Amino acid sequence: MLVDSFGRTIDYIRISVTQRCNFRCVYCMPNIPMNIGSEEEDVPLEGVLSFIKVAINEGVKKIRITGGEPLLRKGIVDFIAQIYQLNPDIDIALTTNAYLLAPLAKPLKEVGLKRINISLDSLKKETIQCISKRNGLEKILQGIEAAKKEGFLIKLNMVPLKNINDDEVLDILEYGMHLGVGVRFIEFMENAHAKNDTKGLKAREILEKIEKKYTFKLLQQDIFGPATLFEITQAQESYIFGIIAPHNDDFCKTCNRIRLSSEGKLIPCLYHENAIDIKEAMLYGDSQEILKSLKLCIENKPEKNDWNENQTSMRAFYKTGG
Ligand code: SAM
Ligand code: SF4
């Protein structure tokens, strides 16, 4: 079992399998050329699998595959199948922009994927184009529908941005409500790679928009993540939505996760600059070295995040997986 210096059991790993993406979201990588890197520059998936084997042996129970855009990776379905074969009880999840999801939803379900988080920042074609620089709404919605049809546990992620999509908080909430899937509103995290003038809504501003139409009560911290949950009760039906406010550190005391970046670095906390490079150990399938680094990473996990509102994070979300 992996237990850190503050008694927290670490049983959840988020893995960014590529930094490449088919979108250029304003809050993530707007200024990066469309042709960054190639499949060959990504850490080979067999290497990542050597890391996963070690992590599962040490008690990891949940693995989220993210990116960049994870569905751009050739062999992603086989990769997930191999994780499932290592241990069918592992809760395998994926975070995607859904642009390539529709034809992959069925094969992904068949190989053991259980959950999908899908980024959906708008229901307007022009706004999706403006945020992601891609005319992708139709494909995103097809991806969501295909995932729903396959019976995945789905969550929709929205990052509400001032003067861009902040008028759609209620629309996205109601889209999720009608589809019967949860919505998580994520506060924009300032970072050096985002478009300069990007401003996000804070949790309080998001809640103010929702309370114009709905009454809701505070539930508790999401046991699957750092979201704070709220329940809308109307006409006997209840609907739960969440807000992820990374500017708080309330969720640090129950944090159970570490990250593996697309560059092969083990990151103990998203808002902490330390990381351990295990790329070479993964390339050689050196499980002794991987285990040593994994233990060191857990030992180095800080008690709280070092997030500072006045300081811009240098971390690239497309490398760490968000
Ligand atoms: N490409 C996939 C996607 O967009 O879902 C997976 C990778 S993306 C980095 C993972 C999550 O990070 C997405 O839900 C995205 O909205 C979120 N994200 C990226 N940059 C962010 C930022 N600056 N602030 C808050 N959330 C961000
Ligand atoms: Fe790509 Fe996801 Fe970043 Fe958007 S948030 S640019 S979809 S990695």
Side-chain angles (χ1 to χ4, degrees):
M1 200 159 68
L2 299 165
V3 181
D4 76 0
S5 319
F6 304 95
R8 294 169 297 193
T9 300
I10 308 304
D11 57 7
Y12 174 20
I13 297 196
R14 296 174 65 104
I15 299 177
S16 171
V17 291
T18 182
Q19 63 166 322
R20 293 176 294 117
C21 189
N22 40 10
F23 285 11
R24 285 292 175 273
C25 300
V26 286
Y27 46 71
C28 183
M29 54 191 301
N31 303 319
I32 309 290
M34 215 48 181
N35 60 354
I36 41 157
S38 61
E39 183 82 25
E40 292 70 46
E41 286 168 41
D42 293 332
V43 180
L45 292 175
E46 307 85 73
V48 181
L49 212 59
S50 323
F51 165 70
I52 291 176
K53 270 186 208 156
V54 173
I56 292 179
N57 277 341
E58 292 303 307
V60 164
K61 296 193 175 67
K62 178 170 176 182
I63 294 173
R64 176 170 296 279
I65 310 300
T66 170
E69 178 43 47
L71 297 184
L72 280 178
R73 273 221 79 166
K74 289 193 195 94
I76 192 74
V77 176
D78 270 0
F79 173 66
I80 291 175
Q82 289 181 68
I83 303 175
Y84 184 79
Q85 280 155 19
L86 285 175
N87 181 342
D89 294 331
I90 299 297
D91 184 356
I92 314 173
L94 175 85
T95 303
T96 173
N97 61 29
Y99 189 77
L100 300 171
L101 182 59
L104 288 172
K106 194 170 165 46
L108 285 168
K109 190 75 201 310
E110 282 168 358
V111 297
L113 184 71
K114 297 185 176 67
R115 306 169 184 278
I116 307 190
N117 283 16
I118 297 173
S119 298
L120 179 69
D121 288 323
S122 172
L123 292 166
K124 294 180 195 160
K125 206 171 150 199
E126 304 71 33
T127 310
I128 287 286
Q129 167 85 45
C130 162
I131 293 175
S132 70
K133 297 203 186 141
R134 186 123 216 170
N135 180 8
L137 182 63
E138 201 179 328
K139 284 204 167 172
I140 298 171
L141 296 181
Q142 285 167 358
I144 296 173
E145 277 158 32
K148 180 76 184 150
K149 189 166 156 237
E150 293 303 324
F152 280 108
L153 293 164
I154 302 171
K155 278 184 211 153
L156 301 176
N157 290 340
M158 176 191 194
V159 182
L161 302 170
K162 286 193 177 154
N163 305 321
I164 299 182
N165 62 347
D166 54 349
D167 57 334
E168 286 190 80
V169 166
L170 274 172
D171 294 344
I172 298 281
L173 183 86
E174 289 176 346
Y175 175 79
M177 222 181 243
H178 294 136
L179 204 65
V181 307
V183 174
R184 299 286 178 268
F185 298 99
I186 309 177
E187 280 184 357
F188 164 62
M189 267 201 62
E190 297 77 4
N191 68 88
H193 311 270
K195 190 161 171 262
N196 264 344
D197 53 353
T198 309
K199 296 262 176 302
L201 296 196
K202 292 284 180 273
R204 182 186 38 80
E205 296 169 298
I206 297 168
L207 292 173
E208 277 167 13
K209 290 198 177 281
I210 298 175
E211 69 196 2
K212 286 201 173 125
K213 185 153 174 193
Y214 295 101
T215 48
F216 51 82
K217 63 176 186 209
L218 175 68
L219 287 177
Q220 81 290 0
Q221 202 76 27
D222 184 346
I223 54 162
F224 293 115
T228 302
L229 299 181
F230 298 85
E231 183 180 20
I232 296 178
T233 315
Q234 224 137 7
Q236 329 239 306
E237 282 192 33
S238 113
Y239 177 76
I240 294 171
F241 68 93
I243 299 207
I244 300 179
H247 302 86
N248 295 338
D249 56 20
D250 311 6
F251 51 82
C252 296
K253 54 182 177 295
T254 55
C255 184
N256 61 346
R257 68 198 57 194
I258 57 167
R259 290 172 162 79
L260 178 65
S261 80
S262 58
E263 298 167 316
K265 290 189 177 146
L266 270 178
I267 302 172
C269 170
L270 189 54
Y271 319 116
H272 182 68
E273 295 301 326
N274 284 354
I276 301 170
D277 198 327
I278 62 161
K279 187 168 180 180
E280 207 168 290
M282 286 195 294
L283 289 175
Y284 290 108
D286 184 344
S287 32
Q288 295 285 337
E289 192 56 37
I290 292 174
L291 180 60
K292 209 166 104 195
S293 302
L294 181 58
K295 290 195 164 161
L296 187 62
C297 171
I298 306 273
E299 208 178 293
N300 287 344
K301 190 167 164 66
E303 184 176 15
K304 283 184 172 187
N305 71 58
D306 298 337
W307 177 252
N308 174 352
E309 226 170 308
N310 302 317
Q311 188 189 317
T312 298
S313 169
M314 296 313 286
R315 281 249 193 271
F317 278 64
Y318 58 94
K319 290 184 182 171
T320 60

